[in-house]
Amino acid sequence: MNPLAPYAANPALSIGRQFNEPPSTTRNAFQRDRDRIIHSTAFRRLEYKTQVFVNHEGDLFRTRLTHSLEVAQMARGIARTLNLHEDLTEAIALAHDLGHTPFGHAGQDALNECMRDFGGFEHNLQSLRVVEQLEQRYAEFDGLNLTFEVREGILKHCSIKNARQLGDVGQRFIDKTSPSLEAQLTNYADEIAYNNHDIDDGLRSGLITIEQLSKVELFAQNLAEVKTKYPKLEQKRLIHETVRRMINTLVVDLCTQSAHNIAQQQPQSIADIRQLPPLVNFSDEIAAQNQKLKQFLRKNLYHHYKVNRMSAKAARIVRELFAVFFENTGLLPNEFQTYAEIDKPRAVADYIAGMTDRYAIREHRKLFTVEEYL
Ligand code: MG
């Protein structure tokens, strides 16, 4: 590892954990957090949760697990380039999607709608809830008892109303201060990862085409470069060569612009970073190109009629599961029944949010199809 910048997060100077624990003898605090995340139940479930394509649609598409690994890989690379703490970025990246519902955004929107009168549902807050409360594996505490820095990185956005209930990690949304640079860059790594793998998966599934994408500058420029260098390249390699150049364009720009911002502001410590505006960002030109790419994906992939059909089905499953459990909490597994006595809607939301795509489909079938047994 490169020497750390003075403004990098430092595990030895961590703000600490919710419950005091003796330090590990072999790992720094952020490495220990990463290990706890990898060993969690919610992490294993990421394998069967998806963002755009539902899990059973094909084995070649990204799942939230492979997405999280791609984010961790990019975040570590960016952290290393900027002399920031790689282990912290890795822990944040691996945990960032733990709170996602089954069926990607369709599932989350449906659950949020069901929870409208009960405080709503937000996957980002739910990720925090998973690591603070829902994982029940340790003798002395609920959750994973992660360091403040990892929990801060997981909570990317938050309303003031919610922030007031979250204690230490909510405070920055009230004070309008910044999180660590490691948290900032991991957020960008997430965005770079999903935009590019959605292009790759979108092309493979045939929902979008190279011709359509040729109208998007970021794609077109890199495609032209590959075609000039390799005029006879077959399609599969052509796509990969283009997408990897796009990722490189974005990552290099992010590192260059962020290093420039840091050099201008001259932060001396992580305390300075918290007081400054966010220093990790793209150049104006790449930010604009990236925005166009996102618009393209929203219009042509996320709202493709075939995706809409799956989303509608997914939303229906979530809504019906919510209604049936809400109506009769006796249908919930025992531990959720106990919690339902304290907070019924939240217990139902937690149970549904924890489901994988296929588990939700099976659970729905068990509850609504007469032929299915327990
Ligand atoms: Mg993500």
Side-chain angles (χ1 to χ4, degrees):
M1 214 155 92
N2 292 343
L4 282 180
Y7 41 83
N10 182 341
L13 302 174
S14 167
I15 292 173
R17 303 179 185 280
Q18 285 171 298
F19 304 95
N20 261 333
E21 286 185 77
S24 160
T25 50
T26 54
R27 299 162 295 171
N28 71 50
F30 301 149
Q31 288 176 316
R32 186 187 222 178
D33 285 0
R34 175 208 53 206
D35 296 349
R36 287 184 175 183
I37 291 158
I38 290 178
H39 288 272
S40 71
T41 310
F43 186 75
R44 284 195 295 282
R45 289 184 183 153
L46 294 175
E47 185 176 0
Y48 302 104
K49 291 192 182 197
T50 43
Q51 320 206 80
V52 181
F53 301 91
V54 171
N55 183 244
H56 61 74
E57 287 178 331
D59 291 344
L60 294 173
F61 300 124
R62 266 73 168 185
T63 66
R64 286 204 186 271
L65 178 63
T66 57
H67 162 68
S68 299
L69 296 174
E70 288 184 22
V71 177
Q73 172 263 318
M74 283 182 204
R76 287 192 70 136
I78 298 164
R80 187 177 290 220
T81 307
L82 296 173
N83 298 328
L84 298 170
H85 208 290
E86 287 180 48
D87 297 331
L88 175 57
T89 63
E90 186 181 24
I92 296 169
L94 295 178
H96 87 282
D97 267 355
L98 291 180
H100 264 287
T101 60
F103 314 124
H105 294 289
Q108 119 113 17
D109 292 348
L111 194 54
N112 187 31
E113 188 62 30
C114 295
M115 288 293 286
R116 200 175 37 182
D117 297 335
F118 313 108
F121 179 89
E122 216 277 305
H123 67 84
N124 197 219
L125 275 178
Q126 190 71 7
S127 296
L128 197 64
R129 193 167 157 74
V130 167
V131 302
E132 288 186 350
Q133 295 175 48
L134 297 181
E135 284 288 328
Q136 305 202 332
R137 326 168 51 78
Y138 295 89
E140 298 193 358
F141 46 78
D142 284 344
L144 306 178
N145 198 28
L146 304 179
T147 55
F148 171 85
E149 290 76 6
V150 173
R151 290 162 49 241
E152 166 192 64
I154 292 172
L155 192 66
K156 290 189 278 199
H157 39 78
C158 178
S159 67
I160 299 284
K161 188 168 156 251
N162 285 330
R164 292 213 173 90
Q165 295 166 8
L166 291 174
D168 56 0
V169 281
Q171 199 55 38
R172 77 178 160 93
F173 297 93
I174 298 165
D175 299 344
K176 307 232 180 315
T177 53
S178 297
S180 69
L181 291 174
E182 287 82 355
Q184 295 178 37
L185 77 85
T186 307
N187 199 7
Y188 274 91
D190 181 23
E191 179 163 340
I192 296 171
Y194 68 66
N195 285 330
N196 286 284
H197 66 51
D198 286 351
I199 290 179
D200 192 39
D201 286 350
L203 286 168
R204 191 178 308 108
S205 64
L207 295 181
I208 52 174
T209 63
I210 291 185
E211 290 65 39
Q212 281 178 307
L213 269 163
S214 300
K215 298 191 185 88
V216 181
E217 197 180 351
L218 195 59
F219 186 89
Q221 278 176 359
N222 287 294
L223 177 70
E225 193 186 304
V226 179
K227 278 186 166 170
T228 309
K229 198 167 178 196
Y230 310 104
K232 290 187 180 139
L233 208 56
E234 50 135 332
Q235 173 124 335
K236 207 167 84 182
R237 291 179 199 251
L238 183 71
I239 293 168
H240 180 67
E241 286 290 341
T242 305
V243 172
R244 82 183 182 97
R245 277 169 175 76
M246 287 173 69
I247 294 174
N248 192 55
T249 304
L250 293 164
V251 168
V252 169
D253 182 80
L254 188 75
C255 291
T256 311
Q257 184 63 42
S258 304
H260 171 79
N261 298 341
I262 292 166
Q264 268 196 333
Q265 296 289 343
Q266 296 281 319
Q268 301 301 313
S269 65
I270 191 167
D272 288 351
I273 296 296
R274 297 190 191 286
Q275 294 308 318
L276 288 164
L279 299 182
V280 177
N281 50 41
F282 292 125
S283 65
D284 289 345
E285 194 201 331
I286 292 292
Q289 288 192 21
N290 187 54
Q291 204 53 36
K292 294 257 167 58
L293 175 67
K294 284 165 71 163
Q295 282 164 4
F296 172 87
L297 286 170
R298 205 172 306 134
K299 180 163 178 268
N300 298 287
L301 182 62
Y302 309 144
H303 290 131
H304 189 287
Y305 84 93
K306 287 188 180 168
V307 175
N308 285 343
R309 285 181 181 192
M310 196 60 232
S311 301
K313 219 187 291 183
R316 195 176 324 124
I317 291 176
V318 169
R319 278 198 303 270
E320 290 178 1
L321 284 176
F322 189 91
V324 81
F325 291 129
F326 196 83
E327 169 84 23
N328 182 357
T329 53
L331 302 176
L332 288 166
N334 289 341
E335 69 264 37
F336 289 94
Q337 282 193 34
T338 311
Y339 186 56
E341 286 166 22
I342 302 165
D343 186 341
K344 182 165 80 164
R346 194 55 59 186
V348 174
D350 283 342
Y351 181 47
I352 294 174
M355 294 179 186
T356 61
D357 297 1
R358 60 181 191 174
Y359 186 89
I361 293 168
R362 266 189 232 143
E363 192 76 339
H364 186 269
R365 204 182 296 147
K366 280 186 206 163
L367 285 157
F368 289 93
T369 310
V370 181
E371 288 79 18
E372 285 289 325
Y373 296 101
L374 290 172

